[in-house]
Amino acid sequence: MRACTMAENNGTLKRAQVAKCKQAFADATRFGAANQRAYDLHALLLWSLVGLGVATIVTGFLGWAIGRRILVPLHKVTGAARRASQEHLDERIGLDGPHDELKELADTFDDMLDRLDLAFASQRRFVANASHELRTPLTSMRTLIDVVMAKPTRTTEQLETVVGRVREALGQSEAIIDGLLTLARSDSGVTDRKSVV
């Protein structure tokens, strides 16, 4: 453009040539601007894709790390639930950390194991007591029969006395068994519901 202007001032170019010169300069300027714009857009696209790729990788890694940190307590709860049985109710999770939903879940699970442990211990005591209560009348009956049968001479009166005592012991056994059956029915809950009018 400067060359065109200097040539015009010197008078070496005609007016028509000056217009062509200015037109060529304007076209070259537009072409250069278009090329620069295309180059800038290409560079912007390239760096945007590189940045997006790096951000995706970093975000994926952070998501994996955070997810793993969150899932570790859940794996502890799941493992404790799998190991829990009648023989292993003494194991607790005891999750440390902030008081959040996972800690609340672990604490609730620990409380449930406490209640189950108490229920099984109570059941074992009940079975032991019931066995003892049932064994007492049976032992009494066996002793009465063995004592009378050990005598070389038994009278009818002795046999009637033994039979009466064995009947009493059988009555005790029946009462204990009836009580146990009533208790078993009451533990199973109400199964038959009827509306009362």
Side-chain angles (χ1 to χ4, degrees):
M1 179 69 179
R2 185 180 296 173
C4 288
T5 306
M6 284 175 43
E8 182 183 8
N9 289 341
N10 292 343
T12 54
L13 283 179
K14 297 181 183 173
R15 204 174 275 257
Q17 290 175 331
V18 171
K20 282 183 181 179
C21 187
K22 287 183 179 180
Q23 182 62 38
F25 181 76
D27 288 343
T29 304
R30 277 194 298 277
F31 179 74
N35 279 345
Q36 184 64 40
R37 182 174 182 268
Y39 175 79
D40 290 345
L41 286 176
H42 178 71
L44 179 65
L45 178 64
L46 179 67
W47 286 108
S48 295
L49 290 175
V50 168
L52 181 63
V54 169
T56 301
I57 291 170
V58 169
T59 304
F61 177 75
L62 287 175
W64 175 80
I66 291 170
R68 183 169 167 83
R69 179 167 164 71
I70 289 172
L71 292 178
V72 165
L74 284 179
H75 289 303
K76 285 177 103 177
V77 172
T78 303
R82 285 190 179 132
R83 288 187 302 275
S85 66
Q86 184 175 350
E87 292 81 26
H88 294 98
L89 288 175
D90 57 340
E91 184 177 335
R92 299 295 179 266
I93 298 169
L95 188 65
D96 295 331
H99 190 73
D100 56 2
E101 290 82 7
L102 293 175
K103 179 151 176 47
E104 187 175 338
L105 174 67
D107 292 345
T108 302
F109 190 78
D110 285 346
D111 292 342
M112 181 192 67
L113 288 177
D114 286 337
R115 290 190 303 274
L116 283 174
D117 196 20
L118 288 173
F120 279 117
S122 174
Q123 183 183 23
R124 284 190 292 272
R125 282 192 306 273
F126 174 77
V127 168
N129 289 339
S131 299
H132 178 72
E133 289 297 322
L134 284 172
R135 185 173 290 170
T136 301
L138 292 174
T139 305
S140 174
M141 286 186 274
R142 178 175 285 137
T143 303
L144 287 170
I145 292 170
D146 287 347
V147 167
V148 168
M149 295 305 284
K151 293 182 180 179
T153 57
R154 297 175 282 278
T155 64
T156 307
E157 185 179 309
Q158 288 175 333
L159 290 175
E160 286 178 0
T161 304
V162 167
V163 168
R165 288 186 178 172
V166 167
R167 251 184 119 68
E168 286 175 17
L170 283 173
Q172 287 177 334
S173 295
E174 283 181 350
I176 291 170
I177 291 170
D178 286 343
L180 290 174
L181 288 174
T182 302
L183 183 61
R185 282 189 210 112
S186 69
D187 280 348
S188 66
V190 178
T191 56
D192 188 23
R193 297 173 188 235
K194 295 180 183 176
S195 61
V196 179
V197 183

